Amino acid sequence: MHALVLAALLLRSTALAPVASRRGMCERAGAAAAAAWTAARPRSAAAAAPPLCDEAVSALANGKSTVYLVGTAHVSDVSARLVAETIDAVRPTLVMVELDGKRVQGFGGEAPGPATPLAPAPVGQRLGAFVVGAVLRSLYKSLERLGLDTGEEFAVALRKARSAGVPVLLADRDVDETLRLVGDAVRKTTSKDLENFEAALSPALAGDLTRAVDVASRDSVASTVELVKKRETVRTIVAALEANAPALYDALVDSRDAYMAASLLDRLGAAGPGQRVVAVVGMAHEDGIARRLAARGFAPAPRRALACAGG
């Protein structure tokens, strides 16, 4: 199947528009941007393995706090179950989610307070943001019509935290700011950039499929996401985006990784020892956040390494 469509299924995007016109290129760039918005979560064949041993979970500690990063796919029931299992196993003192005060309201959460007004963006930026926002809204509606719950893992994390009386950290940057940055990135991204992105993906993804996905079928979409969502595949997609559409990569992945890592580190810096955090993020963000935590003294949690040895 078309490699960009598969990337879209993995990373919460939509079918890609043709590039015969400027509008088509913008829509295609918007779809690629949406594809990098979040990433898929792999699940090992040994479903009975403890959740903390799942390859989608990264455990990092610094002697004061332990952070369990749970990389998810936003159209995967398996991801939502993994989030629930991880929270039950960890019994965290803090749950972090890849949401801001605006997006959280769509998942049954409450905004922490009045939003800080943002300075008006130039018209060109607002137009680009509108294109990407329209692509994302169209994607969510299409998936919901198929009966796929987008972002169910966030709803699960919020419900679990609420029932246990655990505080929630909304770690992501304001969604309107992100869309403004994406709008600017779309204008810097050419159709040739996206063709190169697709060409880089095709060899990496071809081995994961034996048949084309029917994007009009819930079972086909769901089974394809479960089949191809491997951590190395997600890394390949993110690396291809960085190499071929760096402006989109920065707006959607790298700068948000930095923002979420800083949000978490600030929160932990103000907390006492013994903190246990379950951080629920799209897998495209997991490595970048982990890298920034490592730069601040976090290392793989030794007890997890022992518990999961040979698993």
Side-chain angles (χ1 to χ4, degrees):
M1 68 177 289
H2 201 287
L4 279 176
V5 175
L6 179 55
L9 289 175
L10 275 173
L11 308 182
R12 192 164 78 172
S13 180
T14 187
L16 301 168
V19 293
S21 65
R22 175 66 184 171
R23 179 180 177 185
M25 192 280 286
C26 286
E27 290 174 353
R28 188 179 174 99
W37 189 268
T38 49
R41 191 205 70 75
R43 183 68 162 172
S44 63
L52 302 188
C53 297
D54 192 295
E55 68 171 350
V57 180
S58 300
L60 301 154
N62 68 350
K64 177 183 175 182
S65 304
T66 304
V67 176
Y68 298 87
L69 290 165
V70 185
T72 69
H74 298 311
V75 293
S76 171
D77 292 339
V78 179
S79 284
R81 288 197 297 273
L82 179 66
V83 168
E85 291 167 2
T86 303
I87 291 175
D88 287 343
V90 171
R91 300 179 68 182
T93 58
L94 176 69
V95 170
M96 167 185 147
V97 288
E98 180 204 324
L99 295 172
D100 69 329
K102 294 173 182 174
R103 291 172 63 210
V104 71
Q105 296 174 65
F107 295 96
E110 296 180 358
T116 302
L118 298 171
V123 172
Q125 272 193 333
R126 294 201 299 271
L127 178 60
F130 174 80
V131 170
V132 175
V135 168
L136 288 167
R137 285 192 296 272
S138 176
L139 164 68
Y140 303 154
K141 289 179 181 177
S142 296
L143 293 173
E144 287 163 4
R145 281 196 295 269
L146 291 177
L148 292 165
D149 293 326
T150 58
E152 176 62 16
E153 79 278 21
F154 294 143
V156 167
L158 293 169
R159 285 197 299 269
K160 284 278 188 181
R162 187 183 303 117
S163 66
V166 174
V168 172
L169 172 62
L170 304 176
D172 205 359
R173 181 174 61 203
D174 184 282
V175 64
D176 290 334
E177 175 65 11
T178 292
L179 287 175
R180 278 197 284 272
L181 293 172
V182 170
D184 186 53
V186 165
R187 294 198 309 279
K188 297 175 181 176
T189 303
T190 67
S191 58
K192 182 62 176 175
D193 293 334
L194 296 172
E195 288 166 6
N196 291 338
F197 175 50
E198 178 182 8
L201 292 184
S202 296
L205 300 181
D208 289 316
L209 289 180
T210 57
R211 60 184 179 182
V213 62
D214 178 1
V215 295
S217 164
R218 181 197 188 282
D219 291 343
S220 180
V221 171
S223 63
T224 299
V225 169
E226 298 300 332
L227 176 66
V228 300
K229 59 179 188 179
K230 302 173 183 176
R231 194 158 181 181
E232 285 306 315
T233 301
V234 173
R235 285 171 173 154
T236 297
I237 295 172
V238 171
L241 187 72
E242 180 181 11
N244 297 288
L248 286 174
Y249 166 78
D250 182 68
L252 281 168
V253 181
D254 195 53
S255 62
R256 291 174 66 215
D257 292 349
Y259 190 99
M260 287 188 279
S263 296
L264 177 57
L265 288 166
D266 286 349
R267 182 67 168 261
L268 291 177
Q275 298 300 307
R276 300 182 306 280
V277 182
V278 171
V280 182
V281 299
M283 184 167 279
H285 299 292
E286 189 171 359
D287 284 350
I289 294 172
R291 192 164 56 246
R292 287 167 171 86
L293 293 180
R296 295 287 296 272
F298 282 79
R303 284 182 293 180
R304 179 180 186 270
L306 291 173
C308 301

